[in-house]
Amino acid sequence: MKYRPAVVAAAASVALLAGTPAAGAAEDGLNSLPACTDVSTAYGDYEQHDLKASLDIVADEMVPGGDWSPAKGTVTNVGKRDLAKFGVSAYAWLETDNPELQDLTKWVKVEVRTADGTWQPVNGTDTIDSTPLPAGQTRSYDLRIRVTKDVSAELGGPEFNFTGTFADVYRFPDTGKEVECAAEAIGYDAFHIRRATTTPKPTPSSARPTPTASQASPTPTSTPTSAQPTASPSTTSSASASASASPTSTASAAPVPVPASSSADGELAATGGSDATLPLAAAAGGLAVLGAGAVVFARRRRG
């Protein structure tokens, strides 16, 4: 969660009074100065317009025991005067009542790249730079941050400040008295600590898959059904066919077309079932006897 600038400034002012990293450089005497926001508490009208600061941490999440994550801090003197007493600090902090989490330097490590390219460890109370900052000048600092492996499980994500501090003067509006104090510009960013996630073990139900309906279809019960003989209906069909072609119905037909029908029936009998052969043969025999009787009868009439 990122705080509004007013909240961040108030937190930094309290930290400055308590001697935390927001106090700035110890070598240039800034730590001995009260915060300008605290000097003007009775009026609450102090604002500094000389310095701006920004911070950009590349990683949104960091893994405990992981590699360094790069960051960049920048300060710019936007005023018209040089800032003779000036210092820069970088530190992690957390607004909490838990005393164990008030000092994050043991878990959140910070380093700054020096002019010769080497990395210098930064303690929360150390000053990265204390050289004067001329008017209109911008100064950038390469930082890197990592979280130790033994970080407390209660620390979900610290805030991180990159602070520029300089000596200013506050004039009381009623008396005109001037008090030297420490002014700040804070560059702010934050990151989360990503905890390792464990993959849940598969449950017994997922380890033993239940057969689906498509898998259960080729069971032995379906095989006898498809393998049962279906020839019995054909016998009934043949019987009905032979009944329809009975001698009685054939005898009622004219004698002449009978042989052709018999020939066709013969072919059908040859391709059909054996039960239809006997009725067809009997019908053919009956027709032959009737034909022979007709011939004898005709000859006797002629004689």
Side-chain angles (χ1 to χ4, degrees):
M1 180 181 73
K2 294 189 176 182
Y3 294 93
R4 297 180 182 274
V7 177
V8 175
S13 298
V14 173
L16 190 144
L17 287 179
T20 57
E27 293 80 7
D28 57 15
L30 289 176
N31 63 331
S32 61
L33 299 178
C36 293
T37 53
D38 293 328
V39 172
S40 64
T41 298
Y43 301 94
D45 58 345
Y46 175 80
E47 292 182 2
Q48 69 86 12
H49 302 282
D50 294 302
L51 186 65
K52 289 187 177 180
S54 65
L55 174 66
D56 181 25
I57 300 175
V58 174
D60 293 330
E61 292 184 337
M62 294 188 190
V63 180
D67 201 357
W68 294 95
S69 177
K72 182 177 289 293
T74 303
V75 289
T76 302
N77 185 348
V78 295
K80 297 180 180 180
R81 55 173 176 160
D82 296 342
L83 303 180
K85 294 181 179 180
F86 175 77
V88 176
S89 58
Y91 51 92
W93 62 278
L94 186 66
E95 189 174 6
T96 177
D97 295 331
N98 188 346
E100 183 184 2
L101 301 180
Q102 289 179 354
D103 180 14
L104 301 182
T105 58
K106 53 187 175 182
W107 295 317
V108 181
K109 302 300 180 180
V110 185
E111 291 185 354
V112 60
R113 187 190 295 272
T114 60
D116 59 0
T118 60
W119 290 98
Q120 176 77 28
V122 177
N123 193 329
T125 57
D126 288 348
T127 299
I128 296 175
D129 186 12
S130 59
T131 58
L133 184 64
Q137 187 178 98
T138 297
R139 197 174 292 166
S140 297
Y141 302 85
D142 291 328
L143 306 170
R144 62 181 185 179
I145 307 167
R146 73 179 184 91
V147 179
T148 61
K149 186 177 182 179
D150 59 344
V151 61
S152 173
E154 299 182 22
L155 183 61
E159 319 298 328
F160 202 95
N161 281 4
F162 179 79
T163 303
T165 306
F166 65 95
D168 199 3
V169 175
Y170 176 75
R171 178 180 285 110
F172 287 91
D174 56 346
T175 63
K177 179 182 178 181
E178 294 184 349
V179 177
E180 189 177 26
C181 56
E184 292 180 326
I186 300 175
Y188 169 82
D189 205 346
F191 59 88
H192 297 284
I193 298 176
R194 186 177 66 192
R195 305 294 176 178
T197 57
T198 58
T199 304
K201 295 182 180 179
T203 59
S205 58
S206 61
R208 300 176 183 177
T210 303
T212 60
S214 60
Q215 294 174 338
S217 58
T219 56
T221 57
S222 62
T223 303
T225 303
S226 60
Q228 288 178 352
T230 57
S232 56
S234 63
T235 304
T236 306
S237 176
S238 300
S240 62
S242 61
S244 63
S246 62
T248 304
S249 61
T250 306
S252 64
V256 177
V258 167
S261 173
S262 174
S263 175
D265 292 342
E267 293 178 0
L268 178 63
T271 59
S274 60
D275 294 339
T277 304
L278 292 179
L280 293 177
L287 292 176
V289 172
L290 291 176
V295 172
V296 172
F297 179 75
R299 288 180 178 179
R300 287 180 181 179
R301 293 282 305 268
R302 292 177 184 179

